[in-house]
Amino acid sequence: MTAVSDSLIFRTILSTPASASIWSDTARTSYYLRIEAALAAVQARLAIVPQRAADEIVKCCDVTLVDWERLERETVLVGYPVLGVVRQIVGRVNEVEGGLGEWMHWGATTQDITDTATVLQLRDTLTLVGECFDSVTESLSELCETHKTTPVAARSNLQKAVPMSFGFKLARLLATFHRHRTRLAELRSRLLVLEFGGAAGTLATIPEVGLRCQEELAKELGLAVPDIAWHTERDRIAEAGAFFALVTGTCAKFALDVKLMMQTEVGEVSEPYVPHRGSSSTMPQKRNPISCAYITAMASTVRQLSAALFDAMVEDHERSTGPWEIEWIVLPQICTLTHATLKQTSELIAGLEVHPAAMQKNLEISKGAIVSEAVMMGLGKTLGRQYAHDLVYDLCREAAKTGKPLLELLIEHPEVKLSRQELEKLCDPANYLGYSVEMVEKVLRLVKQEEARLSTAPAPSHQTLIPGDPL
């Protein structure tokens, strides 16, 4: 195993079949051929190349015709696979009519084809990411609605802070994914751009109609027209890597919270139950947070690999010597790990087991100290906020030492003039959720509005390439 996507054991855990297929040799070569076929068709329409040549080139741009062993040999020799692919197609077309294949790849350079193929691969990867966003959003919305009033302890510095609703905690995650959906739309507009400029990006080999050819090729592939060549301006690719790092980082933050809440002594949530999943080889009682562990590992790896894309931005002059190839190494791993992280996260959220009874029990552990802020503010109206703070501080310490509930200590204290009923209200965690419910409902409204907008938006003009399909 040289990559997790190659492993028979890990390929559906640390990768996914859908994302791995996009970044496979077969798919990458299919993208090359798709671009070459589109280029020939466009150039025939513009009378740059003969129509007969274009027709035969399109016919031969079929990935099932590729001699993979020959392509490997020529890639090792040349250093890039595009020339080897072009040579095979040129040879096949020349067999139909001598010299006809020489019209293939007209005015293009290796990096034009490679970069545009990378953009198409990233486009199809982002489609998978968007689908995961949809499933995550749907599951989170349901959980937020169900638990918008379920009291749970908020934690600060790993200590109980104040009560909040569990729906509030989940709604923060939902709001983050809502922002990621916005980022995804913005990223698409900057990333999905054709690269077609020739040797140094000036399109010097196609006089008079070069820019028209560029526009028509972009239209044919469903991409935007570049404002100028970007062979060594790699901000688009680096931004995609940063986006993947952001998304997986969000997944890892949630996974960390689930791990902590799933501890035996806490027990507020559990990963979806599947018989024997997360079990131990020596401790039969164990139910390890295995999905969270994988999410953590994959997200960390994506962050590290995405940093390499910023190194790849430092490229020399108009065509680089080395930094460009960094993308070939890390992008397949970043994309497959990102999709796998999102799939694991989606399944974790969809099947998350929530234990409100344990949440209530944990709220009561501190004998009322969890609502000390509420009590302090309630007493502060007559005693002064700082004086009330110090009084409640001392009573909380006494509750911790004696095990006596804060409520009873407050009732017994001579300076506390509130009635038992008023103190019971202050000491009930369910009465101190702040605007948890309102904020959850606000996020849910935003998400519903976005879903309504997306449902009326026109569908993307492109279709994901299925490796092996006729081009």
Side-chain angles (χ1 to χ4, degrees):
M1 184 189 81
T2 56
V4 289
S5 57
D6 300 329
S7 170
L8 293 175
I9 300 171
F10 293 112
R11 64 184 177 183
T12 58
I13 299 175
L14 303 175
S15 179
T16 67
S19 60
S21 68
I22 292 172
W23 295 91
S24 67
D25 286 342
T26 301
R28 181 173 53 253
T29 306
S30 296
Y31 288 104
Y32 294 161
L33 294 172
R34 178 180 181 178
I35 298 162
E36 294 286 3
L39 178 62
V42 164
Q43 291 184 333
R45 291 201 298 268
L46 297 176
I48 298 171
V49 306
Q51 185 65 55
R52 176 162 168 73
D55 291 343
E56 293 302 325
I57 290 168
V58 170
K59 287 180 185 177
C60 291
C61 282
D62 184 342
V63 75
T64 63
L65 302 177
V66 172
D67 181 336
W68 295 102
E69 291 184 359
R70 177 186 168 189
L71 180 56
E72 179 189 12
R73 291 195 303 272
E74 294 189 357
T75 300
V76 171
L77 178 64
V78 176
Y80 310 102
V82 170
L83 182 56
V85 173
V86 171
R87 282 175 174 167
Q88 289 193 36
I89 305 305
V90 167
R92 287 186 177 276
V93 176
N94 282 342
E95 289 175 2
V96 176
E97 181 181 319
L100 204 60
E102 307 303 323
W103 292 102
M104 184 180 181
H105 198 68
W106 195 263
T109 191
T110 290
Q111 191 168 353
D112 288 336
I113 307 302
T114 304
D115 280 351
T116 301
T118 298
V119 167
L120 293 176
Q121 288 174 290
L122 286 168
R123 180 173 72 179
D124 291 345
T125 300
L126 292 178
T127 297
L128 297 179
V129 168
E131 291 170 355
C132 286
F133 282 2
D134 291 342
S135 61
V136 165
T137 297
E138 181 180 355
S139 297
L140 274 177
S141 296
E142 292 176 2
L143 282 171
C144 287
E145 188 66 50
T146 300
H147 294 288
K148 64 183 178 182
T149 61
T150 303
V152 68
R155 270 92 179 185
S156 173
N157 291 299
L158 289 180
Q159 306 296 305
K160 290 187 180 69
V162 295
M164 63 178 181
S165 78
F166 185 56
F168 175 80
K169 187 179 188 73
L170 294 169
R172 299 200 322 265
L173 178 64
L174 179 58
T176 306
F177 272 103
H178 177 69
R179 293 193 294 275
H180 285 326
R181 291 176 82 167
T182 301
R183 291 185 181 102
L184 176 58
E186 294 171 348
L187 174 62
R188 283 180 178 275
S189 67
R190 289 188 288 271
L191 175 65
L192 305 184
V193 178
L194 174 75
E195 176 74 288
F196 179 66
T202 63
L203 277 175
T205 53
I206 310 177
E208 299 180 4
V209 292
L211 292 177
R212 175 78 185 281
C213 178
Q214 188 183 71
E215 292 172 4
E216 290 297 315
L217 180 57
K219 183 178 179 181
E220 189 80 10
L221 295 171
L223 298 174
V225 179
D227 45 13
I228 196 168
W230 51 276
H231 290 132
T232 49
E233 279 68 44
R234 312 307 292 181
D235 56 290
R236 290 183 172 92
I237 308 300
E239 183 182 10
F243 173 71
F244 292 138
L246 278 172
V247 169
T248 54
T250 295
C251 296
K253 183 269 187 286
F254 178 66
L256 175 58
D257 283 354
V258 171
K259 283 188 286 186
L260 293 172
M261 297 176 78
M262 196 174 165
Q263 291 178 100
T264 306
E265 297 84 355
V266 180
E268 294 177 344
V269 300
S270 300
E271 286 192 359
Y273 176 73
V274 177
H276 302 294
R277 179 169 175 78
S279 60
S280 165
S281 62
T282 59
M283 296 169 282
Q285 86 281 7
K286 292 291 292 297
R287 184 177 173 186
N288 295 316
I290 199 68
S291 294
C292 294
Y294 282 129
I295 291 168
T296 300
M298 291 188 289
S300 179
T301 305
V302 170
R303 288 196 297 276
Q304 298 303 313
L305 292 175
S306 66
L309 294 175
F310 290 90
D311 284 335
M313 291 181 68
V314 188
E315 300 197 356
D316 44 297
H317 297 302
E318 283 60 57
R319 300 287 294 280
S320 72
T321 52
W324 181 43
E325 286 80 352
I326 292 172
E327 297 173 2
W328 306 4
I329 299 168
V330 301
L331 271 177
Q333 298 176 73
I334 289 172
C335 291
T336 52
L337 285 167
T338 296
H339 189 230
T341 301
L342 279 166
K343 290 283 286 183
Q344 293 270 5
T345 302
S346 177
E347 292 167 5
L348 171 62
I349 294 170
L352 187 69
E353 297 180 8
V354 182
H355 310 303
M359 294 176 177
Q360 183 61 38
K361 178 183 176 182
N362 290 334
L363 285 168
E364 296 169 358
I365 286 176
S366 65
K367 302 297 182 181
I370 188 78
V371 290
S372 62
E373 183 185 66
V375 174
M376 175 192 74
M377 298 303 291
L379 298 180
K381 295 174 183 178
T382 55
L383 299 178
R385 196 204 69 85
Q386 188 59 51
Y387 188 85
H389 173 279
D390 294 342
L391 186 152
V392 174
Y393 177 85
D394 290 339
L395 292 180
C396 285
R397 285 179 57 82
E398 186 176 346
K401 288 179 181 179
T402 64
K404 198 169 186 178
L406 176 62
L407 173 62
E408 298 303 323
L409 294 173
L410 286 165
I411 292 171
E412 295 170 359
H413 199 283
E415 293 185 81
V416 176
K417 305 302 182 183
L418 298 180
S419 68
R420 183 183 186 96
Q421 185 178 9
E422 290 173 313
L423 290 172
E424 286 177 347
K425 186 176 180 181
L426 285 176
C427 290
D428 185 352
N431 293 329
Y432 200 63
L433 302 181
Y435 288 94
S436 289
V437 174
E438 291 82 356
M439 291 181 182
V440 170
E441 290 175 343
K442 180 180 180 180
V443 172
L444 289 172
R445 283 195 301 273
L446 287 172
V447 170
K448 287 178 181 178
Q449 289 169 3
E450 177 67 8
E451 289 174 348
R453 186 189 68 80
L454 291 174
S455 67
T456 58
S461 59
H462 72 278
Q463 290 185 337
T464 299
L465 176 64
I466 300 175
D469 276 6
L471 296 165

